[in-house]
Amino acid sequence: MNRMFVFFAAVLTFFCQTSEAQYRTDRSYTGLYDSETAACMRRHVSDISSPENMGRKAGSEGEKNAAGYLYKVLKDYGVEMLCPEEGDEFGITLPSGDTIASRNVVGFIQGYDSRLRDRYVVVGARLDNLGTNDMTVNGAAEKQIYYGANGNASGLAMMMELARMVSTNSILFRRSVIFVGFGASSETYAGAWYFLNRSFSDAGSIDVMINLDMLGTGDTGFYAYTASNRDLNSIMDSMSSELQPVHPEVVSYEPYPSDHRAFYAAEIPSVYFTSGRYSQHNTPKDTYDIVDYGMMERELEYIYNFTLNVANTDKELAFRQDEQPVKSRPAVKEDIVPYYDCDIKPAFLNSTDPRQFLAKWVYAYLKYPAQAVKDGIQGTVQVNFVIDKDGKVRDVEVVKSVDPLLDAEAVKVISASPKWRPARVKGQKVSSSMTVPVEFRLEKKSRGGGFGINGRRQSW
């Protein structure tokens, strides 16, 4: 009898919740979507960052699987899909000369206002991640997976639930909203560039871009970066007096580079929502369990309300704030040109081949950390850095980690690099960026023990 009572109580609760959802008309999602939305985002992050997707490297089967998942969820949520089920495919030629096929997933919810429904708010989230890395620990081959739960399964999960909320309340949105999962974001934001320049013919009608990237660690902060756009900041200021579960800190610095950069280049006002830097970024420790789904739900409600405000404003949002006094204009952010986009590439010891830098500097001065030798840790650390207009190396950071000991040594040696000959574009010196693989390889000596690193002997 007790079990029967529990059963009927559960059924009654379900129908009560369903009825409430069906007839709810207010704009707040705090009560309605609290546990349901968190559970859905938990499921999305788990599926997208699963081991089966092998880190979703651009052009991989894992990225394709994640795109298929995103397509299905958006369609189930009532979003009109603007691409085939396999996504909007495009090709990229890598610096190595290899060609990969990536894809964007694009959906659409039409606004109700006959005057504004042909204007668009684009909500985007990065689809791909770093993939895998082969390494050896204590003589055994291991494959590291860069799961990318927070980077960026969290942003994709939030975009999907935002799409559900917009779809449910589409009658409230004057402008149309486009949702895009950008493929090959790690390849200089190729998916965002392709969307703006090749696949979406009405790019000139986009009023605002909202970028969702790395939103799962909001317990340490929740940030909005607008590149000091006055109109977007004004909307956030107006929301600051409203009751919201959380408010972002509007920052003047860019927390991380991401797909909003392609929209800035097209002079489209953009806002980048993120929970900021976190220690597991671009490491195999970026897993499902580091994500705070309760905090994501609170961030989501704010972003939903911001999207609604942007979609309904009568103000024409401007990219350039020319009427501002010169003294109050934000500083222009330096353009950094990728290595392979430079007309004349940066040169180390008169060679534009990065292998010269590795051979003549990095491997000449790299020291294998003793503890890493003792633990038998080896692998390839991917390090990105900028060569500025004066030829100085700066902004050195690990973009694909193996182990903190190896990461720190690679960063230390590259940071100490002598000056390069700077890159040029159209005859002018430019700051450029490149990524190099720093290999740590242990080779056991034939006699007496010990290891060598890339041909250099390293004693125990």
Side-chain angles (χ1 to χ4, degrees):
M1 181 65 70
N2 287 339
R3 275 183 285 180
M4 185 65 72
F5 173 81
V6 170
F7 171 78
F8 280 114
V11 171
L12 179 61
T13 300
F14 171 79
F15 280 109
C16 287
Q17 291 174 341
T18 304
S19 176
E20 180 187 3
Q22 184 176 359
Y23 295 106
R24 191 179 181 98
T25 57
D26 66 83
R27 284 165 41 158
S28 173
Y29 278 77
T30 302
L32 174 59
Y33 282 95
D34 208 3
S35 60
E36 178 187 353
T37 299
C40 287
M41 289 194 290
R42 190 182 300 272
R43 183 171 66 252
H44 299 327
V45 171
S46 176
D47 194 288
I48 292 168
S49 62
S50 66
E52 289 77 13
N53 285 341
M54 299 295 287
R56 309 185 308 281
K57 187 173 179 63
S60 69
E61 196 66 23
E63 185 196 44
K64 183 178 179 181
N65 291 342
Y69 180 89
L70 175 60
Y71 180 98
K72 181 179 185 304
V73 171
L74 290 179
K75 187 174 182 180
D76 289 347
Y77 283 174
V79 178
E80 180 183 347
M81 301 311 294
L82 301 181
C83 66
E85 190 170 353
E86 63 274 13
D88 186 7
E89 294 188 0
F90 57 91
I92 309 168
T93 300
L94 302 178
S96 63
D98 295 334
T99 300
I100 63 171
S102 186
R103 66 207 70 241
N104 291 335
V105 177
V106 187
F108 168 80
I109 296 174
Q110 187 170 53
Y112 75 84
D113 189 315
S114 59
R115 184 172 65 87
L116 290 176
R117 66 187 176 197
D118 292 329
R119 308 295 303 180
Y120 305 104
V121 177
V122 172
V123 180
R126 169 168 59 94
L127 192 62
D128 62 313
N129 197 43
L130 297 178
T132 62
N133 182 51
D134 294 323
M135 62 179 295
T136 305
V137 178
N138 290 328
E142 290 188 7
K143 187 177 288 292
Q144 288 181 317
I145 300 176
Y146 296 86
Y147 299 97
N150 188 37
N152 182 39
S154 63
L156 287 165
M158 190 171 290
M159 185 177 76
M160 285 183 266
E161 292 310 300
L162 178 62
R164 174 162 66 167
M165 295 164 76
V166 174
S167 178
T168 301
N169 292 281
S170 59
I171 191 62
L172 300 177
F173 286 76
R174 298 173 68 191
R175 285 174 176 81
S176 298
V177 184
I178 296 174
F179 296 92
V180 191
F182 294 117
S185 175
S186 58
E187 301 296 336
T188 62
Y189 327 117
W193 184 92
Y194 178 78
F195 172 79
L196 285 170
N197 294 278
R198 293 291 183 269
S199 69
F200 188 64
S201 59
D202 289 334
S205 298
I206 299 172
D207 287 334
V208 177
M209 188 269 182
I210 298 171
N211 187 25
L212 308 177
D213 200 345
M214 297 179 289
L215 282 153
T217 56
D219 56 327
T220 60
F222 173 40
Y223 308 98
Y225 172 70
T226 66
S228 301
N229 183 282
R230 190 177 57 198
D231 292 338
L232 293 177
N233 288 350
S234 176
I235 291 175
M236 291 185 184
D237 287 344
S238 70
M239 292 177 65
S240 64
S241 60
E242 300 173 0
L243 183 62
Q244 303 284 348
V246 65
H247 288 273
E249 178 185 349
V250 180
V251 293
S252 59
Y253 60 90
E254 184 182 50
Y256 285 109
S258 187
D259 293 297
H260 57 277
R261 285 190 168 189
F263 288 79
Y264 287 152
E267 299 198 351
I268 296 170
S270 305
V271 57
Y272 173 24
F273 288 109
T274 182
S275 51
R277 296 184 175 274
Y278 60 108
S279 61
Q280 301 89 346
H281 180 231
N282 283 349
T283 75
K285 296 179 180 179
D286 188 358
T287 54
Y288 166 90
D289 56 324
I290 73 167
V291 177
D292 184 341
Y293 300 96
M295 186 62 187
M296 278 181 64
E297 185 174 13
R298 295 190 284 277
E299 295 166 355
L300 172 61
E301 183 167 349
Y302 179 90
I303 293 171
Y304 168 80
N305 289 324
F306 176 82
T307 306
L308 184 61
N309 275 282
V310 167
N312 290 348
T313 184
D314 283 311
K315 184 177 178 62
E316 185 175 338
L317 302 173
F319 178 79
R320 296 188 179 278
Q321 317 285 291
D322 293 335
E323 65 275 19
Q324 283 185 293
V326 173
K327 288 183 180 179
S328 65
R329 287 180 185 166
V332 177
K333 187 172 181 65
E334 177 188 21
D335 287 331
I336 298 175
V337 183
Y339 167 81
Y340 47 86
D341 285 345
C342 299
D343 296 340
I344 300 177
K345 295 175 173 56
F348 183 81
L349 298 182
N350 295 319
S351 173
T352 60
D353 188 341
R355 289 176 293 186
Q356 170 93 332
F357 174 58
L358 289 171
K360 299 294 186 180
W361 179 262
V362 175
Y363 293 136
Y365 293 97
L366 202 66
K367 294 183 179 179
Y368 217 122
Q371 188 60 46
V373 174
K374 182 178 179 182
D375 295 341
I377 300 172
Q378 58 182 326
T380 302
V381 181
Q382 300 279 351
V383 182
N384 183 266
F385 56 95
V386 171
I387 301 152
D388 68 18
K389 295 177 183 179
D390 295 326
K392 295 178 182 178
V393 168
R394 59 175 175 81
D395 300 343
V396 183
E397 63 175 352
V398 172
V399 295
K400 196 170 185 180
S401 167
V402 172
D403 179 88
L405 292 171
L406 304 187
D407 297 348
E409 179 63 19
V411 168
K412 182 180 75 173
V413 172
I414 291 176
S415 298
S417 168
K419 281 189 174 184
W420 292 51
R421 188 178 67 216
R424 290 180 181 269
V425 173
K426 297 180 180 178
Q428 300 298 314
K429 292 180 180 179
V430 297
S431 295
S432 60
S433 65
M434 69 163 59
T435 301
V436 295
V438 181
E439 183 181 5
F440 289 82
R441 186 176 69 246
L442 294 168
E443 296 175 348
K444 196 162 186 178
K445 297 178 184 177
S446 58
R447 291 194 227 170
F451 284 97
I453 168 174
N454 290 331
R456 292 178 67 247
R457 292 182 180 272
Q458 183 72 24
S459 61
W460 283 10

